[in-house]
């Protein structure tokens, strides 16, 4: 079961997905709302970060201290990251093993997480619904790297991908590969 605990929040925040099962994980912490209250009573095991932009990590200290859990991410030098997930490292979320794909272009420490058995992709801020893609005008942004990262994800995912959960906006539950392909084309055009 995957649930966006930031749903309906009006502040500037990313989505924050609670993935429950054998290992209950929060994918991104969001920012500017009481995430601890929204996951009250959950037996949380870890926080996993797609990247460390402020809208994804603003609530991080609150949730790691309230639940006494560690945060996992790519950038060993970031103060919020307790445990490092390398490129192609694996992490159990819910009842499934996900592979981390280092996917820079939006931010240097960006990871996507893909599970072929769950048929789920967490895309962070790489791509969004309907072919939107992550900003590359911020520090560490690089359009060429973003295009390469999108293409890497397209290579990695199987044709039966069922769900894509993105850092902003709605999740895609109908043929998400199509949305990633659209983003690949759009990101090349401008
Ligand atoms: Zn971001």
């Amino acid at each position: 079961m995957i649930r966006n605990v930031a749903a309906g929040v009006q502040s500037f925040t990313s989505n924050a997905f609670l993935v429950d099962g054998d290992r209950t994980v929060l994918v991104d912490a969001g920012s500017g709302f009481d995430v601890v209250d929204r996951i009250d009573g959950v037996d949380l095991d870890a926080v996993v970060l797609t990247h460390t932009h402020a809208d994804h990590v603003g609530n991080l200290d609150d949730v790691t201290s309230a639940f006494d859990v560690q945060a996992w991410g790519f950038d060993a030098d970031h103060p919020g990251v307790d445990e490092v997930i390398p490129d192609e490292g694996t992490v159990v979320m819910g009842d499934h093993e996900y592979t981390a794909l280092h996917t820079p272009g939006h931010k240097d420490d960006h990871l996507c997480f893909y599970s072929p058995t769950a048929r789920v992709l967490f895309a962070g801020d790489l791509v969004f619904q309907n072919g939107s893609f992550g900003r590359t005008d911020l520090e560490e942004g690089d359009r060429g790297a973003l295009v390469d990262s999108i293409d890497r994800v397209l290579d990695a995912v199987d044709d039966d991908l069922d769900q894509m959960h993105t850092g902003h906006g709605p999740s895609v539950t109908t043929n998400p590969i199509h949305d990633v392909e659209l983003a690949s084309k759009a990101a090349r055009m401008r």
Side-chain angles (χ1 to χ4, degrees):
M1 183 65 188
I2 299 171
R3 168 166 78 89
N4 177 20
V5 303
V9 171
Q10 296 300 319
S11 72
F12 181 64
T13 181
S14 71
N15 294 329
F17 295 101
L18 188 68
V19 189
D20 65 10
D22 287 342
R23 186 167 180 261
T24 298
V25 168
L26 188 65
V27 179
D28 292 333
S31 182
F33 68 97
D34 190 349
V35 68
V36 173
D37 181 63
R38 285 189 172 223
I39 57 176
D40 188 33
V42 168
D43 190 10
L44 190 68
D45 291 301
V47 180
V48 171
L49 301 173
T50 62
H51 64 297
T52 55
H53 273 151
D55 51 328
H56 295 249
V57 300
N59 294 333
L60 182 59
D61 288 348
D62 289 347
V63 67
T64 54
S65 50
F67 292 90
D68 193 23
V69 296
Q70 296 196 302
W72 295 68
F74 183 80
D75 182 3
D77 295 327
H78 190 281
V81 172
D82 303 305
E83 300 285 342
V84 171
I85 308 172
D87 183 33
E88 299 194 344
T90 57
V91 55
V92 174
M93 303 197 288
D95 297 324
H96 299 279
E97 185 173 85
Y98 287 73
T99 298
L101 300 169
H102 183 223
T103 39
H106 172 69
K107 192 175 190 323
D108 286 347
D109 68 349
H110 193 283
L111 296 171
C112 294
F113 300 95
Y114 172 58
S115 168
T117 52
R119 299 158 59 203
V120 170
L121 173 70
F122 288 94
D125 287 3
L126 181 69
V127 294
F128 307 106
Q129 187 190 43
N130 293 333
S132 295
F133 54 89
R135 290 178 63 173
T136 55
D137 59 328
L138 305 169
E139 194 178 356
E140 300 182 7
D142 182 318
R143 181 62 62 84
L146 188 91
V147 167
D148 290 346
S149 290
I150 296 171
D151 288 350
R152 181 174 182 207
V153 167
L154 280 173
D155 278 346
V157 298
D158 295 330
D159 290 340
D160 64 352
L161 182 68
D162 185 52
Q163 299 173 31
M164 178 170 76
H165 301 287
T166 54
H168 300 274
S171 297
V172 181
T173 55
T174 305
N175 193 17
I177 286 179
H178 178 66
D179 297 62
V180 183
E181 287 171 344
L182 285 177
S184 171
K185 291 195 183 93
R188 283 175 161 80
M189 284 194 284
R190 54 186 169 82

